[in-house]
């Protein structure tokens, strides 16, 4: 175990982590304000100070192992998802869990992500949208006002798929992300009827377009500065895909 001061950290696996976002308008961020939050296999959440290299807070909102974690866009809340599909919203200031959501219960949470929204966008209160994706190909989208303790379901997506192929120990993950360059759109990849990335409009409640992929994706990252997706595949390939159209660039070289 790693020892922090006189407090040893138990032998638990760190399953996921996230950087605390910098305050709006503050750049560069002071080193003393940098924090990371980590989710562990024993259901605990731990917040670490980067400058002091020590744990500042430990919370235990989950009965199952953590599989996804994220900060709210202002850094005032921590969203965490477990192997049992439970999502918790906790305050790092008080150490209290203020919401427990069971909508994805029974299927591990694969992604949690928050994004700022314009006031009154999509007819829900608050300044933030967030999404949760689970391994059963379901994605929920929420509007939240953390100061008013409000959390409202905005959309619920369920993507069809054929029966799991024989000989495949685990299906490709269900992954979703808000599109930084296209307001009100999220991107989804996962095991389905076709190998593709789907662009879904939260306003129109429909898939706007699809981009064919060479295989089912195992990782997904959207550039915040330009319309590009980085997509990883199980056959040791990384693809840089321009959006909405363009010639992709493939990078090989990984040995696992």
């Amino acid at each position: 175990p790693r020892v922090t001061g006189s407090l040893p950290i138990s032998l638990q696996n760190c399953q996921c982590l996230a950087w605390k976002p910098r305050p709006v308008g503050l750049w560069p961020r002071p080193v003393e304000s940098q924090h990371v939050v980590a989710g562990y296999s024993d259901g605990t959440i731990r917040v670490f100070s980067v400058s002091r290299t020590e744990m500042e807070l430990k919370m235990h909102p989950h009965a199952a192992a953590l599989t996804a974690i994220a900060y709210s866009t202002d850094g005032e809340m921590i969203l965490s998802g477990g192997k049992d599909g439970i999502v918790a919203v906790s305050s790092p200031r008080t150490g209290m869990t203020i919401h427990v959501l069971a909508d994805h219960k029974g299927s591990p949470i694969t992604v949690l992500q928050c994004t700022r929204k314009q006031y009154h966008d999509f007819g829900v209160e608050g300044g933030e949208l967030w999404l949760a994706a689970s391994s059963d190909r379901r994605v929920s989208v929420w509007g939240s006002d953390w100061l008013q303790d409000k959390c409202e379901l905005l959309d619920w997506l369920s993507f069809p798929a054929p029966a799991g192929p024989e000989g495949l120990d685990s299906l490709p993950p269900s992954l979703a992300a808000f599109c930084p360059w296209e307001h009100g759109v999220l991107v989804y990849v996962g095991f389905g009827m076709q190998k593709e990335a789907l662009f879904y409009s939260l306003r129109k409640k429909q898939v706007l377009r699809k981009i064919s992929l060479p295989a089912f994706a195992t990782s997904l990252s959207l550039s915040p500065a330009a319309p590009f997706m980085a997509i990883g595949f199980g056959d040791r390939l990384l693809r840089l895909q321009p959006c909405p159209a363009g010639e992709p660039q493939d990078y090989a070289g990984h040995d696992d």
Side-chain angles (χ1 to χ4, degrees), residues 15 54-55 82 102 125 240 254:
Q15 306 283 77
E54 65 182 20
M55 184 174 69
E125 294 185 24
L240 185 62
H254 296 276

Side-chain angles (χ1 to χ4, degrees), residues 154-179:
L154 174 65
D155 211 336
W156 182 266
L157 314 178
S158 183
F159 296 93
E166 294 182 7
L168 190 64
D169 294 334
S170 60
L171 295 176
S174 301
L175 305 173
F178 292 109
C179 187

